[in-house]
Amino acid sequence: MAGTYHILLVDDEESVTYLLQTEFQEFPEFSVDAAQNGTDAMNLVRSRVYDVALLDIRMPRISGMEVLKFIKEVSPTTQVIMLTAQADMKNAIEATRLGAYDFLGKPYEIDHLLTSVRRALEHRHLLIDKEVSQTSRPIDIIGGSKSLTDTIANARKIAASEAFVLIQGESGTGKELFAQLIHRESGRRHLPFIAVNCAAMPDQLLESELFGHEKGSFTSAIKTKQGLVEVASGGTLFLDEVGDISPLVQPKLLRFLETGEFRRVGGTNSRTVDVRVISATNKNLQEEVRAGRFRDDLLYRLNVVSLRLPPLRERKEDIPLLVEHFLQRKTRTKRIGPGTTEVLTNYDWPGNVRELEHVIEGAIALAHSDVIEPKDLWMNVSLHRQSVEEKPENAPGSIEPESLEEVERRHIEKILRANNWNRAKSAQILGITAKTLYLKIKRYKLIEPSNGQ
Ligand SMILES: Nc1ncnc2c1ncn2[C@@H]1O[C@H](COP(=O)(O)OP(=O)(O)OP(=O)(O)O)[C@@H](O)[C@H]1O
Ligand SMILES: [Mg+2]
């Protein structure tokens, strides 16, 4: 179920676990497993990720304290609430030292207990989502074009379902933004949204990031580590750049998607966790499958529903709105001058919205007056960020690849020539000091032609 909290209840008195389980059944957001002794409890913790555990302290053979220690080692983000008939200080202090979140005396009132469980869940969420404000900050997806508004409507529909989603789109089209929107509008919104960039790390590291590792499973594994799939428990796991997952990790991911089961690196037993997976790529995965680089069964699993994000050049009417949005975020005084909007809408934006964002930020910094003019726009600077595969050569709007320094060198030379090498005037036009210009002339070995040439 969407946004289900998994609760573990451990008490040696069957009447207690029975009663509590019945009470919890009234709340559909909770799914409760019960154990009557420490051994069963530990086995359950080995096999599934719990959000909160309620532990009786006094139990024969293995005490609640020992189960607490075990949980904190195996699954540190699980929040533990201790229950006991003798609400004495000694136990409370010891339990807190061992990492228990709360401590309740028996007989407990169900309302008390629920409040504590809810607080523990919140605490778990805060621990994981360090940027708390993120949850409350609205997601601004700007644009009024039909293709974008259709995509937003589509994403909202998808959010309501529990299906795995594959978001495809060119670089900078807003894939991560849409993944967040889907999470925020889903039943899992109160649970973590965990993003993993699959392209950013080597195979073994990715596997251990995703699924965790046991102590000593490889040289640098000095401590047992929880995988991000566990941290995301109940929430959404965002697999960014999923097309870059290596053939070594692909079968492990496939197994996880099929069964919800995973195994830590170096671990022997499988555990189950409930997460929704949203993935994103700017690669053409069908083509990757054809080329033998991506498993077709994995693509099939990831792509239960797909969302395609339109490139900015196909929805140019969104450009003025986006420009206004990015301006307002950074400045109160500067505005777009006449002619600038035209230049912005005529350009093809191979780096899509991200490129536009950078160009506007750059223009705010460059503009000398409150009016941003076409000369303040440095589109070609951003061109280096785009992915090469998406831009056919000589496509409209394409520009010779050139380094930023090369552009600067040529621009300085042009200005100097146009001003008869009057350095003071050139520096003023370039918006730099005469000294900086002098240093740049030296650095780029620019030579003033001698008279008569
Ligand atoms: N419609 C939009 N409205 C407002 N901001 C947007 C919109 N689309 C994208 N952005 C902004 O553009 C930037 C790039 O978006 P995002 O990171 O989601 O793109 P992406 O598709 O994941 O790119 P990449 O493939 O390069 O990772 C972000 O700063 C995002 O906030
Ligand atoms: Mg991205």
Side-chain angles (χ1 to χ4, degrees), residues 13-209:
E13 267 179 69
E14 209 175 336
S15 59
V16 174
T17 51
Y18 177 78
L19 202 79
L20 282 180
Q21 246 180 330
T22 330
E23 300 264 24
F24 271 112
Q25 263 164 18
E26 303 219 351
F27 303 90
E29 71 266 37
F30 295 122
S31 155
V32 181
D33 291 337
Q36 252 79 58
N37 59 62
T39 315
D40 290 352
M42 287 179 184
N43 282 334
L44 283 172
V45 170
R46 274 194 199 97
S47 67
R48 113 147 353 267
V49 177
Y50 291 98
D51 302 304
V52 174
L54 299 161
L55 306 180
D56 183 20
I57 293 188
R58 284 265 161 129
M59 290 187 294
R61 290 193 310 281
I62 300 173
S63 77
M65 290 296 202
E66 279 168 83
V67 181
L68 167 65
K69 261 189 246 169
F70 179 79
I71 290 179
K72 283 291 141 185
E73 199 171 312
V74 172
S75 183
T77 51
T78 300
Q79 297 303 306
V80 183
I81 299 169
M82 307 303 289
L83 310 170
T84 184
Q86 312 91 0
D88 62 303
M89 274 315 275
K90 204 171 132 264
N91 276 342
I93 291 167
E94 178 64 0
T96 314
R97 194 184 63 79
L98 291 173
Y101 171 74
D102 202 359
F103 191 85
L104 294 177
K106 281 193 201 176
Y108 25 72
E109 281 175 31
I110 185 70
D111 287 348
H112 257 155
L113 203 117
L114 278 170
T115 309
S116 179
V117 167
R118 292 226 157 86
R119 264 202 232 118
L121 287 166
E122 216 165 275
H123 181 69
R124 176 177 187 275
H125 198 174
L126 296 191
L127 274 180
I128 293 163
D129 246 324
K130 293 210 178 57
E131 226 186 297
V132 186
S133 56
Q134 248 192 7
T135 329
S136 44
R137 204 179 58 203
I139 292 189
D140 282 333
I141 299 189
I142 307 294
S145 62
K146 178 151 180 3
S147 60
L148 188 77
T149 46
D150 282 355
T151 314
I152 295 175
N154 214 347
R156 296 220 148 100
K157 246 185 266 158
I158 290 171
S161 82
E162 270 288 281
F164 289 178
V165 191
L166 177 65
I167 304 177
Q168 286 176 286
E170 289 177 15
S171 176
T173 44
K175 294 184 290 295
E176 180 146 9
L177 207 60
F178 271 87
Q180 286 170 343
L181 177 78
I182 293 173
H183 172 73
R184 251 355 142 64
E185 305 225 339
S186 77
R188 295 171 182 262
R189 71 180 72 89
H190 299 298
L191 289 150
F193 174 87
I194 302 289
V196 193
N197 186 333
C198 302
M201 50 196 129
D203 301 351
Q204 197 191 27
L205 205 59
L206 177 63
E207 186 184 346
S208 106
E209 274 294 302

Side-chain angles (χ1 to χ4, degrees), residues 408-417 420-427 430 432-449:
E408 185 179 79
R409 191 190 63 76
R410 281 201 300 111
H411 188 62
I412 292 174
E413 199 172 21
K414 193 175 91 187
I415 298 291
L416 282 166
R417 223 183 302 123
N420 280 326
W421 280 74
N422 179 331
R423 290 178 172 80
K425 202 167 159 204
S426 302
L430 290 164
I432 55 180
T433 62
K435 185 173 173 213
T436 308
L437 178 60
Y438 168 78
L439 292 173
K440 288 193 187 284
I441 290 173
K442 247 179 90 170
R443 169 145 170 243
Y444 294 131
K445 301 192 173 66
L446 299 175
I447 300 165
E448 180 178 1

Side-chain angles (χ1 to χ4, degrees), residues 36 98 104 128 142 162 175 242 262 264 287 297 318 336 366 371 379 387 399 414:
Q36 252 79 58
L98 291 173
L104 294 177
I128 293 163
I142 307 294
E162 270 288 281
K175 294 184 290 295
V242 76
F262 66 98
R264 286 186 181 158
E287 229 157 67
D297 43 8
D318 290 344
I336 296 289
L366 277 177
V371 180
M379 263 79 107
S387 79
I399 296 171
K414 193 175 91 187

